[in-house]
Amino acid sequence: MSENTRSQAVTQGVQRSPNRAMLRAVGFQDEDFKKPIVGVASAHSTITPCNMGIAPLAIQAEAGIRAAGGMPQVFGTITVSDGISMGTEGMKYSLVSRDVIADSIETACSAQSMDGVLAIGGCDKNMPGAMIAMARMNIPALFVYGGTIKPGHIDGEDLTVVSSFEAVGQYSAGRIDEVRLMSVERNACPGAGSCGGMYTANTMSSAFEAMGMSLMYSSTMAAEDAEKAENTALAGQVLVEAIRKNLCPRDIITRKSIENAIAVVMAVGGSTNAVLHFLAIAYSAGVPLVLDDFEAIRARIPVLCDLKPSGRYVATDLHKAGGIPQVMKMLLSHGLLHGDCLTITGDSIAERLNDIPDAPRPDQDVIRPWNNPMYPQGHLGILRGNLAPDGSVAKLTGIKKRSITGPARVFESEEDCLDAILAGKVTAGDVLVIRYEGPKGGPGMREMLAPTSAIIGAGLGDSVGLITDGRFSGGTYGMVVGHVAPEAFVGGTIALVHEGDSVTIDADARLLQVNVSDEELAQRRAQWQPPQPRYTKGVLAKYAKLVSSSSVGAVTDLDLF
């Protein structure tokens, strides 16, 4: 493809005249037909602050591609706002959008025989959606993060969107008044960019930088800063060079590079959603990856960064402290990163990190020294037991109690659970069970940020457990376990839990268990009836029909034939 590009094969082939005529209508001149055609997949939208700054970045990407001798073609893809839809029926479309984004990018690039693609995304599902498409198509590709939001402020306190969710719980518990509640709401999100803590968007952007599919330092830049625009133009130039070298995603997305990405997710205290998304990305790239691989990496990687949701700082603070390259260099220096992995520049990880110091600067405390980490081991644990024989995902850090055994409070939906918390009907020692929120059962595997934030806001974060076959926002912390598999809708044990059953969450033993005999569970299973699908037409019905278990990434093209 470096000598005869895919686009040239179309524009100079049997259908030469019609193809070239239509391309002339969108701006091609004679000399442009010899250039690689480079797609710019823009997720610009004013639906959410995460994506509202992307259109100017697409213009910068076009300029960079042209300067490097490529011919850019811009096309759009969707986004939905997790933060705005959180706690509503609309949140069921969030994970669905990951696959819609992947399918739309694959469709546009493949239909138009593009030689490469630069995708620009902001909100959570933009990134894994784009990367799944890149891995499927395996044409030269590069991801550009739209950038993080700057923190809001009240009285010197940094705010993020999660502050607003927690404030609702604080207000309902009588811990703050309405004036404070409204002040948090008005100040939490001051402008463009994705949620500011190490939530899902910043987690995935950081992981893609570590994997080599984004330029270094790009994952923690603020959306509104000039360096983000400059970096995007540079990304366009780098991608054109990758097309000339025929450097493709599957040259970069390997078992080793995914291990690098997961190591960085652990080191920065990233989102539980990274587990779900990397299982899906690995599947699309043809790379073997299972849940227990995350547990193996967790055991050897310390948490090095003091970042929200459970820490003090936001992504822009991490950027000023040295960014993801500094974290990567620390891991590399201690033999915990594969330095021979390729990056989109054609250089290896070790080559790109050559000039980065082995230790973080002493004038900051966002990135902790190696001998004084936040936690000695990673924070994303894989829990198993009779409640999750196929696995579940938990954050094991930011909690004071490492285990809880208590009575189950069973809810058939997120809304029912939230109502109970806000009404003061949840007490210390309870273990909340939210079920029928899985990939098929929801459908769409909603994030439980509203109830988990309400628990934190009510001051119950260290005394109440929560388990679900749904997901959690990257902003969630506390004694919470998600991605329980098999899910309730397909008859997983979580469907058999009764109100008042004793349930154990044990972080150290990586155990999730309902303390009921096998004989009793067998009796309950014999009496259980699968529920009717909640949707029978449209995208949610199609998704529920096709989606696989969260334990394999909730992909929609698993064993189709």
Side-chain angles (χ1 to χ4, degrees):
M1 197 161 67
S2 57
E3 293 293 329
N4 293 295
T5 63
R6 288 155 44 98
S7 58
Q8 288 172 35
V10 171
T11 60
Q12 296 175 2
V14 175
Q15 300 297 320
R16 174 172 177 159
S17 294
N19 289 338
R20 290 174 63 137
M22 294 192 74
L23 288 169
R24 288 183 191 280
V26 298
F28 276 63
Q29 304 297 318
D30 288 348
E31 64 274 12
D32 296 326
F33 292 108
K34 299 176 182 178
K35 300 174 182 176
I37 294 178
V38 185
V40 177
S42 170
H44 175 81
S45 159
T46 56
I47 287 174
T48 171
C50 312
N51 291 53
M52 71 182 191
I54 287 178
L57 296 181
I59 294 171
Q60 292 294 322
E62 281 188 283
I65 291 165
R66 288 184 191 277
M71 195 60 186
Q73 289 193 302
V74 179
F75 62 93
T77 187
I78 68 156
T79 194
V80 300
S81 172
D82 292 4
I84 295 171
S85 63
M86 196 73 69
T88 73
E89 194 79 358
M91 186 62 193
K92 293 181 177 181
Y93 290 85
S94 168
L95 187 57
V96 176
S97 76
R98 182 189 76 177
D99 291 77
V100 174
I101 291 164
D103 292 349
S104 67
I105 293 174
E106 177 192 354
T107 299
C109 291
S110 297
Q112 302 308 122
S113 300
M114 292 176 182
D115 300 304
V117 62
L118 183 151
I120 313 174
C123 200
D124 297 4
K125 307 309 173 296
N126 299 177
M127 281 157 279
M131 199 58 61
I132 288 168
M134 291 171 180
R136 281 183 196 164
M137 297 184 296
N138 202 35
I139 60 173
L142 187 153
F143 184 82
V144 172
Y145 183 37
T148 186
I149 197 171
K150 294 181 179 179
H153 301 284
I154 295 180
D155 302 326
E157 176 189 351
D158 281 352
L159 301 177
T160 69
V161 66
V162 175
S163 307
S164 199
F165 282 88
E166 291 178 359
V168 172
Q170 292 167 343
Y171 176 74
S172 298
R175 300 174 70 199
I176 62 173
D177 60 18
E178 188 174 357
V179 172
R180 174 71 181 190
L181 174 65
M182 294 307 298
S183 183
V184 172
E185 178 191 311
R186 291 182 178 118
N187 290 280
C189 298
S194 299
C195 300
M198 192 47 69
Y199 310 147
T200 302
N202 285 325
T203 297
M204 297 308 295
S205 68
S206 299
F208 289 178
E209 182 177 321
M211 192 167 63
M213 287 294 292
S214 295
L215 299 185
M216 285 198 175
Y217 292 104
S218 65
S219 67
T220 50
M221 291 176 177
E224 297 180 323
D225 284 353
E227 65 175 347
K228 172 50 67 177
E230 295 164 4
N231 184 265
T232 303
L234 175 61
Q237 297 174 35
V238 169
L239 178 57
V240 173
E241 186 58 30
I243 293 170
R244 293 194 177 107
K245 295 175 181 174
N246 198 25
L247 179 58
C248 296
R250 293 191 192 182
D251 299 321
I252 299 169
I253 305 173
T254 64
R255 171 64 187 227
K256 284 184 175 181
S257 74
I258 290 176
E259 288 182 356
N260 284 349
I262 296 169
V264 166
V265 169
M266 296 293 179
V268 300
S271 167
T272 52
N273 283 308
V275 177
L276 190 76
H277 296 326
F278 269 102
L279 288 169
I281 291 164
Y283 173 75
S284 292
V287 174
L289 188 72
V290 297
L291 274 177
D292 289 338
D293 292 326
F294 290 84
E295 182 62 34
I297 295 171
R298 182 198 72 80
R300 59 180 183 259
I301 303 294
V303 178
L304 296 171
C305 298
D306 187 3
L307 296 167
K308 291 179 182 292
S310 58
R312 294 179 292 166
Y313 295 106
V314 295
T316 51
D317 297 316
L318 175 59
H319 190 63
K320 294 170 188 171
I324 296 303
Q326 180 62 77
V327 176
M328 292 174 69
K329 185 58 177 284
M330 294 170 71
L331 294 172
L332 181 66
S333 298
H334 289 84
L336 295 170
L337 211 67
H338 302 290
D340 57 341
C341 289
L342 278 177
T343 72
I344 188 60
T345 64
D347 299 323
S348 70
I349 289 287
E351 288 170 331
R352 299 299 293 174
L353 297 175
N354 186 58
D355 296 331
I356 309 295
D358 292 339
R361 298 195 322 267
D363 64 346
Q364 58 79 46
D365 57 356
V366 182
I367 306 172
R368 301 281 282 269
W370 190 263
N371 61 2
N372 184 30
M374 292 292 294
Y375 305 97
Q377 292 182 316
H379 64 302
L380 299 181
I382 306 303
L383 275 58
R384 295 184 185 271
N386 65 0
L387 261 176
D390 291 348
S392 61
V393 182
K395 277 188 178 178
L396 307 182
T397 53
I399 54 175
K400 293 178 182 176
K401 291 180 63 176
R402 303 284 292 175
S403 67
I404 183 173
T405 296
R409 301 291 311 282
V410 180
F411 303 95
E412 308 301 320
S413 72
E414 176 187 7
E415 289 88 349
D416 290 346
C417 181
L418 180 61
D419 289 345
I421 298 166
L422 296 180
K425 296 179 180 179
V426 171
T427 59
D430 287 344
V431 179
L432 312 184
V433 179
I434 307 177
R435 62 192 181 192
Y436 296 103
E437 291 285 5
K440 287 184 176 293
M445 205 178 177
R446 286 192 290 183
E447 294 179 349
M448 306 289 118
L449 180 60
T452 58
S453 295
I455 290 169
I456 297 294
L460 296 170
D462 294 316
S463 58
V464 167
L466 188 151
I467 69 170
T468 181
D469 50 8
R471 297 181 293 130
F472 295 117
S473 162
T476 292
Y477 63 102
M479 187 165 286
V480 296
V481 185
H483 306 206
V484 171
E487 62 174 291
F489 189 81
V490 300
T493 309
I494 191 172
L496 310 179
V497 178
H498 286 181
E499 184 82 9
D501 282 349
S502 171
V503 173
T504 295
I505 303 171
D506 191 322
D508 293 324
R510 263 86 71 203
L511 177 68
L512 184 63
Q513 176 173 287
V514 56
N515 300 306
V516 172
S517 70
D518 292 344
E519 292 77 15
E520 172 64 19
L521 288 176
Q523 278 189 331
R524 294 181 187 180
R525 190 177 302 281
Q527 297 170 357
W528 177 81
Q529 293 292 320
Q532 291 298 309
R534 287 173 169 163
Y535 296 84
T536 57
K537 285 184 171 58
V539 66
L540 290 181
K542 287 189 285 187
Y543 185 83
K545 185 79 171 176
L546 292 173
V547 72
S548 61
S549 169
S550 60
S551 63
V552 293
V555 298
T556 54
D557 56 352
L558 184 70
D559 298 330
L560 285 180
F561 300 102

